[in-house]
Amino acid sequence: MFQSASPPLPGIVAYAITALCMVIVLLKVRGTTDRLAQFLALAIYLRFTMSAFPGISYDQILPGLSINALGSALVVGVGVLLIRPAEFRRREYLPIWAFLGWAGVSALANLAFTGFIEVMLKWLYMVVLASAMYMVLRKHGPAKTVRLLLPSFVPLLLYQGASIALGIAKASESDGSASFIGGYNHEAAFSVSLFAFLVLVSIPFRPASTIGPAGMVLTVLGIVMANYRTTLLASVPILLEWVFARSVRTFERSKRVIALIVLGPALALGIVLLASLFTERFAELFDTVVQLPGLFKAPYEYTFVEARLLSSRPYLWASYIYAWANAPLLQNIFGFGPDSWGDSGVITYAHNTLVSHLYEFGVVGALLTIWIWARMLVVALSVTGERKTGILAAHAGFFILNMATMPHWMIEGNIAYALIIGYTIACRDRSRALARARASRAIARAPIIPAPVRGLAARVPVTGAE
């Protein structure tokens, strides 16, 4: 499956948008004295603008290191200096450190040190941004944090708007349909960037706020125009939760059952109508599901038609799994080394994080990847209150992304997961703080508790993202 690049935007247009957005971001960060908030906003803006110039940012200025990679290294270095060391010792990050440790072992076993540096940089980037997101949320709360970060995502919409206005599109490799991606190299990275934007604007706002609804509409339209099926599917859990669950919550508790009865059929009709707009794009998906039992076979057994299903994804998965399964025991355990998929003989990456990690890091690496997602899901499940369903929807969407593309291989994907992780941990801590406060108030009201103890309990503060 050949991955062609998108035509670039005219230089004067791309540079004008970049300069305008830089002014907007700088004016926004000047409004806060929080250095971490400034760092987070600038780091996200930097990545999204660098990706819009692949002809420059993909160039290697050092052996194995592109301008993009050096920009990511700069973000990691500054972040480590700004973030307190205790944040990196969180138990939630233990699976990530275990995965990176195993990646190092795999690199040593296969002498793949350049690939290990790239993998380590991407995951450190994610941890740094997740820690920054957590600390900014704890200090400013969700509403202000989202307003601080919104300008960093504006370039995505303006780049895409320019590509639509100028008719500059990339033809999808599967069916030739148009993808408007603002000069990005490929629709995967651009649409995953918009997925990160969707995660951000789905963070709860006060009912009177218009930023959430407006942001959701613009982001969904952007994802539709980017025309990447995997991201469209990954957006569905977030959209369903945002439209359905939050609409119901606007009613009084006594009227929510009636709201469910009314909104349920309306939402189902909306989904059917939306799906009808993408009948051709998703018809192949249903055909693949029907044929799925017959696709569990060696890649050389695929027919020409089967090898083209879902942009060749089942064929790619079978190719990587077959290569791993028929490798020596050393590769079964340790894999072929970080980023070794480029040497696999298959002409593109696996389009599935687990399949790729099985090939690169062996069975242990694949299990550690599952541990990372499972650990964060456990944290999400421990959140209480109305934020819980939105957080779970974001985790579900990111899991869908990993099943048909590789967001952890993209910095853009790691930005999305960093926002999810930071928000999840902040909400979990907020839930714990509220639980402690309720327990303290209960103690303070208990007549059998000595008065001095009740007085201390009544003064227990409530902290966390609000």
Side-chain angles (χ1 to χ4, degrees), residues 129-153:
L129 261 61
S131 300
M133 180 67 173
Y134 168 82
M135 295 179 69
V136 172
L137 280 166
R138 294 279 290 177
K139 183 172 182 178
H140 300 287
K144 186 174 180 180
T145 298
V146 172
R147 286 194 293 269
L148 284 168
L149 297 182
L150 275 176
S152 301
F153 290 82

Side-chain angles (χ1 to χ4, degrees), residues 402-430:
N402 279 281
M403 292 301 99
T405 192
M406 289 164 55
H408 284 304
W409 181 69
M410 313 172 199
I411 289 291
E412 293 81 4
N414 285 326
I415 289 174
Y417 202 44
L419 298 179
I420 295 171
I421 291 173
Y423 187 57
T424 300
I425 298 175
C427 287
R428 189 277 313 276
D429 287 358
R430 174 68 179 171

Side-chain angles (χ1 to χ4, degrees), residues 158-293:
L158 294 185
Y159 290 138
Q160 187 181 51
S163 66
I164 294 172
L166 297 173
I168 299 173
K170 174 184 179 293
S172 171
E173 63 269 10
S174 59
D175 57 11
S177 57
S179 298
F180 295 93
I181 55 176
Y184 270 53
N185 194 56
H186 192 266
E187 59 265 36
F190 185 82
S191 65
V192 169
S193 301
L194 287 174
F195 178 83
F197 196 8
L198 185 68
V199 169
L200 182 74
V201 297
S202 70
I203 289 176
F205 272 79
R206 292 183 295 274
S209 173
T210 59
I211 297 178
M216 292 291 287
V217 170
L218 287 174
T219 309
V220 170
L221 289 175
I223 292 173
V224 169
M225 296 305 293
N227 195 28
Y228 193 62
R229 283 177 299 194
T230 303
T231 309
L232 284 169
L233 288 172
S235 303
V236 169
I238 298 176
L239 292 174
L240 289 179
E241 191 280 335
W242 200 88
V243 173
F244 191 58
R246 300 188 196 194
S247 297
V248 170
R249 291 195 203 111
T250 60
F251 293 87
E252 298 177 6
R253 289 186 179 275
S254 60
K255 299 178 181 178
R256 288 184 180 179
V257 174
I258 298 175
L260 283 170
I261 295 173
V262 174
L263 291 175
L267 181 62
L269 178 61
I271 293 172
V272 170
L273 292 175
L274 184 63
S276 66
L277 298 176
F278 299 97
T279 301
E280 294 183 6
R281 291 288 285 143
F282 287 98
E284 190 182 30
L285 175 63
F286 298 117
D287 291 341
T288 305
V289 171
V290 172
Q291 300 179 47
L292 193 60

